[in-house]
């Protein structure tokens, strides 16, 4: 697999949703928020015209990893949270929301939502890929 970032675009009449599969941590916010748009049992699994654009944008903003992003046809885009917020969850991941510049092996990326690896063992540094101890949900 290429080390380059691969985003797939799903174009609708009023909004385009992009999905970067390698960053998806399966939080399920999309499927729970708008199952009529996000249906993993269908192809394509994202159907942007299945809901009003502003509602769809609101659900995309719930994606904690930033794997889902959007752009409105009228030029509107996601505004970053201010002030920037950094939270460490119970398994060590760093959940970051705000106006971000993330340094990656492919160069700097502008972001608004990311989950960063807290243990240093992710193969997708600096993003978490659930590969190390900080991405493992405790058994119990």
């Amino acid at each position: 697999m290429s080390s380059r970032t691969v985003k797939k675009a799903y174009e609708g009449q009023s909004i385009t949703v992009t999905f970067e599969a390698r960053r998806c941590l399966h939080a399920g916010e999309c499927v729970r928020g708008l199952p009529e748009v996000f249906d993993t049992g269908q192809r394509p699994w994202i159907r942007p015209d299945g809901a009003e654009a502003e509602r769809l944008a609101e659900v995309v903003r719930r994606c904690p990893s930033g794997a889902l992003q959007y752009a409105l046809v009228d030029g509107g885009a996601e505004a970053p949270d201010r002030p920037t917020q950094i939270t460490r969850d119970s398994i060590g991941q760093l959940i970051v929301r705000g106006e971000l510049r993330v340094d990656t092996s492919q160069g700097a990326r502008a972001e608004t939502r990311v989950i960063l690896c807290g243990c240093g063992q992710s193969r997708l540094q600096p993003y978490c890929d659930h590969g190390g101890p900080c991405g493992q949900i405790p058994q119990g």
Side-chain angles (χ1 to χ4, degrees):
M1 175 181 270
S2 167
S3 63
R4 300 183 72 177
T5 302
V6 178
K7 281 187 182 183
K8 181 158 173 109
Y10 298 85
E11 295 183 23
Q13 292 182 350
S14 303
I15 189 171
T16 296
V17 175
T18 58
F19 177 64
E20 191 175 339
R22 290 183 63 195
R23 285 189 41 202
C24 180
L25 297 178
H26 307 289
E29 294 293 336
C30 55
V31 175
R32 281 191 303 277
L34 279 173
E36 62 273 30
V37 171
F38 300 97
D39 184 345
T40 59
Q42 298 292 317
R43 293 294 173 259
W45 80 279
I46 300 173
R47 289 187 222 106
D49 291 330
E52 192 267 326
E54 283 302 320
R55 173 80 176 117
L56 178 51
E58 186 269 319
V59 169
V60 167
R61 286 190 295 268
R62 292 183 202 168
C63 173
S65 69
L68 288 170
Q69 310 249 338
Y70 71 90
L72 298 169
V73 171
D74 68 9
E78 182 173 353
D81 289 0
R82 288 197 176 96
T84 297
Q85 300 173 14
I86 303 172
T87 307
R88 183 178 296 274
D89 69 12
S90 63
I91 58 175
Q93 298 167 317
L94 298 171
I95 302 165
V96 187
R97 296 177 83 83
E99 188 171 3
L100 312 171
R101 179 188 154 189
V102 179
D103 291 328
T104 73
S105 60
Q106 289 84 34
R109 291 182 61 171
E111 301 277 6
T112 57
R113 293 171 279 113
V114 296
I115 295 182
L116 300 176
C117 177
C119 67
Q121 294 185 30
S122 169
R123 294 173 306 278
L124 192 57
Q125 288 291 336
Y127 306 103
C128 184
D129 69 356
H130 280 190
C134 77
Q136 303 301 311
I137 298 173
Q139 303 296 313

